[in-house]
Structures are given as C-alpha cells and as structure tokens.
Amino acid sequence: MKITSAEFVKSAFEKSHWTTDRLPEIAFLGRSNVGKSSLINSLLLRKGLARTSNTPGRTQSINFFLINRSFYFTDLPGYGYAKVSKTMRADWGKMAEEYLSERAELALCIQLIDSRHNPTALDMQLSEWLKFNDKPHLIVATKADKLSKNELQKSMSAAAKLLETSKIITFSTQTGLGREELWSEINAAMIKT
Ligand code: GTP
Ligand code: MG
C-alpha cells in the first residue's frame, strides 16, 4: 500500500475519547516491549510516529493513527509487565476488553508475540478470547532478526502449536521481513468490512 499520509490523532484513556468517524480500524496488541509501536512505524515507514522505548509499559492509552485519511491503526498498551501496579493491570484489562468487544469498526486484531520466546499465558489467554469472540485475528512474531533461520522455524512451530493456529507471520523492523505479507493481510481484512 502506498502511504500518502499518516498522522497521530489522539490518545484515548477512556471510551469517550474514541474516534467517531467510523473508519475501519486495525488494532495492534501484545505484551509490553514486544514491538507494537516499532511495527506500526515500520509498516508506515515513519520512524518516530508511534513512540517506542526500551522501557516496557511506555504506551498507556489507546493511540489512534489516521492512515491515508481512510483507516486507523490503534496502538494498545502492552500487557504482562510485571512491575505495574494491580490497579494498572486491572485498567489494562478493562480498557482493552471494552475496546475489543464493543468496537464495531475493528477490521483486524494483530496480536504480536516475541519470536524468541514461547507465547506467555497472557498471550494464549488473549488469543483464545479473540477466537472465542469471533474477532478477525492474526498472529505476528516480532524481532525475527534476532534468531537464525533454524531457530526461527523451531520457535514458530512451537508457538503455532501453543496458540492453536496454522499461520504466523514473522516480522522484523530491521530487515523488512513480513512487511509486504502483513500489508496484504491488512488490505484483505479491510475489503471484508
Ligand atoms: P509498549 O508500548 O511498552 O507496550 O512496547 P511496544 O510493544 O510498543 O514495544 P516498542 O515498539 O517500544 O519496542 C520495544 C523494543 O524492541 C525497542 O527497543 C525496539 O527497538 C525493539 N524492537 C522492536 N521491534 C524489533 C525488531 O523487529 N527487531 C529488533 N532487533 N528490535 C526490535
Ligand atoms: Mg508501544
């Protein structure tokens, strides 16, 4: 897809902040530090658009990015960061579940996992929830550049088993691996809605 414009629109801390123009939305989900914001920047070829960081737990709100004036990317806060308080963890669950279950504009949920590790219990819980609730859902494994081809293959077949899926897209912001494939999945999902 040719990106003619990509702009940060707003950070939503509650439902009343969600955008209201009914454009289709692609949501990016995954644990803290898995690479959600980096992947968004990489898809859009815009370096600093979504804020990235080495400190997990950076993104605390749902961030809306308007692409080509015709659809949104939403960057959700990461889950599973051990150091956040119980209240913050409960807030994540509430915010994410409200958004995922109520948002009619949702064309695709892109769930990121770290290619180097087995999916966590929370990864599996989220994936099951998305399946159970019939949400269009796709798994992407990030940081593929950190593994050899062989290690990556092994890791992906283990992850596919645990998540009970036949398809995982491997992605790297460093090499561009997976970028074209992911765009074609996004396009296909938007045509369906
Ligand atoms: P939160 O907002 O805290 O939930 O994190 P996030 O999921 O948005 O992660 P972020 O994009 O901020 O990336 C976390 C770290 O991983 C950063 O240091 C990135 O540079 C690094 N990173 C992300 N994607 C890749 C990748 O494909 N390859 C490599 N080598 N590093 C990556
Ligand atoms: Mg982030």
Side-chain angles (χ1 to χ4, degrees), residues 30-39 51-59 75-79 112 142-146 171-174:
R31 69 186 179 83
S32 286
N33 215 40
V34 70
K36 297 174 294 298
S37 304
S38 304
L39 181 139
R51 277 239 212 117
T52 63
S53 145
N54 283 318
T55 322
R58 170 97 240 181
T59 314
D75 188 7
L76 271 81
Y79 52 79
L112 277 59
T142 61
K143 310 189 188 182
D145 54 279
K146 299 216 178 195
F171 196 94
S172 166
T173 59
Q174 302 301 298

Side-chain angles (χ1 to χ4, degrees), residues 5 8 11 34 64 69 74 86 100 102 104 110 113 131 184:
S5 68
F8 169 72
S11 284
V34 70
F64 289 77
R69 310 250 152 119
T74 54
K86 266 197 186 149
L100 294 171
E102 294 180 24
I110 300 180
I113 59 168
K131 261 186 246 170
S184 68

Side-chain angles (χ1 to χ4, degrees), residues 4 29 39 95 102 108 141 151 159 162 184:
T4 51
L29 297 153
L39 181 139
M95 180 159 48
E102 294 180 24
L108 182 62
E151 288 169 329
L162 286 167
S184 68

Side-chain angles (χ1 to χ4, degrees), residues 19-72:
T19 55
T20 53
D21 45 9
R22 304 265 177 103
L23 296 173
E25 256 161 49
I26 312 293
F28 295 84
L29 297 153
R31 69 186 179 83
S32 286
N33 215 40
V34 70
K36 297 174 294 298
S37 304
S38 304
L39 181 139
I40 288 176
N41 290 334
S42 165
L43 281 174
L44 299 172
L45 303 172
R46 302 285 199 279
K47 272 205 167 123
L49 189 66
R51 277 239 212 117
T52 63
S53 145
N54 283 318
T55 322
R58 170 97 240 181
T59 314
Q60 292 296 351
S61 48
I62 300 177
N63 292 329
F64 289 77
F65 300 91
L66 179 61
I67 320 301
N68 293 356
R69 310 250 152 119
S70 57
F71 60 96
Y72 286 101

